[in-house]
Amino acid sequence: MALSAACDEAFLRALSGADPAWPGGLWLKGEPLHTQRPAARLRYAHSRCAVAPRVGKLLPELTVAENVALPLLLTGLGRQEARRRALRWLERLDVIACAELRVADLDLAEMRRVALARALVLEPAILLAEDPTEGLSSSERFHLLRILRAACGTHGLTIVVASDDADVVAWADRRIAVKVGGAEAVAEAVTEPSTEPTAEPVREPALQPAPEPISLFGHAARAMPHRIGRHARSEHRGTPVGSGSERGR
């Protein structure tokens, strides 16, 4: 399924249920995610969906195989099994020859396939990717789309791609145009003159300045009227307070 390029990675993460960005309902394979607790929703979304990371999110200090196996290691899977699954997906995406290379040694097409392998290694049911063919030549785009189409058939995978690439749109089974309201539309709505009569604004009384804080030892306290009468002072003069030299004060 091809979405318009107005959808970014944050939009795709919201579709996966990992990071809901709007109020409303969200169903994933018949499961209502919006009724679940955040931890349960995130766990369910990660087990069923995968958002392909951008090329810049690949770790340069790790090899290609280690980058792909990283999501499995974070789930607690053993190193050998994680490496075996990572190599299997690198082979399926036709980038197995780069398994022991660093990310800096790859070209853009290889980086994009490695990013897809890192998302697919978790065996998700739904893959969401933001413009995976950006910057690729026509032959590289055709090769990548052919691999993704094969993955749909062999693994029962649903792929949701946000892109305006004509090749991606042609290969997609469904095409959805998503309209995202931006700041420009809001600005137009605000600056557009209104033809409806406006009511007179209700004028609120002006706020009076707050009085100066009264301090017990400050100068502001001296201006206060002394309301303790002489009889009150003489009434407690003989009352014993404290002990020793303080008695009678």
Side-chain angles (χ1 to χ4, degrees):
M1 176 166 43
L3 305 179
S4 58
C7 308
D8 54 2
E9 185 177 354
F11 185 87
L12 296 179
R13 285 185 56 82
L15 286 182
S16 70
D19 187 17
W22 62 79
L26 180 63
W27 283 263
L28 181 59
K29 298 182 74 67
E31 185 73 18
L33 298 184
H34 58 281
T35 60
Q36 297 182 1
R37 294 180 179 272
R41 182 179 63 243
L42 187 63
R43 183 169 56 251
Y44 186 86
H46 284 177
S47 63
R48 307 297 297 176
C49 292
V51 180
R54 303 290 291 177
V55 171
K57 292 187 177 181
L58 298 176
L59 301 179
E61 63 271 13
L62 301 180
T63 64
V64 168
E66 291 170 345
N67 267 285
V68 177
L70 182 60
L72 295 175
L73 295 175
L74 294 178
T75 60
L77 191 65
R79 290 181 176 272
Q80 293 184 355
E81 180 63 19
R83 178 179 173 83
R84 186 185 67 82
R85 295 187 186 182
L87 294 178
R88 183 176 59 186
W89 272 107
L90 289 175
E91 184 177 3
R92 291 172 179 173
L93 293 175
D94 199 14
V95 71
I96 187 63
C98 306
E100 303 303 328
L101 299 179
R102 303 286 178 177
V103 176
D105 300 330
L106 307 178
D107 57 21
L108 182 58
E110 293 170 342
M111 288 182 184
R112 294 200 179 279
R113 276 180 274 170
V114 170
L116 291 174
R118 180 171 168 176
L120 292 171
V121 76
L122 292 172
E123 302 286 346
I126 302 175
L127 172 67
L128 301 104
E130 179 190 2
D131 209 353
T133 60
E134 182 183 5
L136 304 182
S137 63
S138 58
S139 60
E140 292 170 343
R141 288 201 301 269
F142 177 79
H143 185 53
L144 179 59
L145 292 174
R146 182 177 59 83
I147 294 175
L148 293 179
R149 172 62 75 176
C152 289
T154 57
H155 297 278
L157 182 65
T158 299
I159 301 179
V160 181
V161 179
S163 175
D164 281 338
D165 189 350
D167 294 336
V168 175
V169 175
W171 276 72
D173 298 322
R174 295 181 60 191
R175 305 162 188 85
I176 298 178
V178 180
K179 296 181 180 180
V180 181
E184 295 81 2
V186 176
E188 291 179 1
V190 172
T191 57
E192 184 179 359
S194 176
T195 58
E196 298 180 359
T198 58
E200 290 292 331
V202 179
R203 297 185 178 182
E204 298 181 357
L207 297 178
Q208 299 294 331
E212 293 292 334
I214 299 175
S215 174
L216 183 61
F217 302 104
H219 297 286
R222 297 178 182 178
M224 295 182 60
H226 206 288
R227 299 187 182 277
I228 302 179
R230 296 179 61 184
H231 64 281
R233 293 198 301 269
S234 61
E235 180 180 352
H236 298 281
R237 181 170 298 176
T239 304
V241 178
S243 60
S245 61
E246 297 182 357
R247 182 180 299 273
R249 290 188 180 182

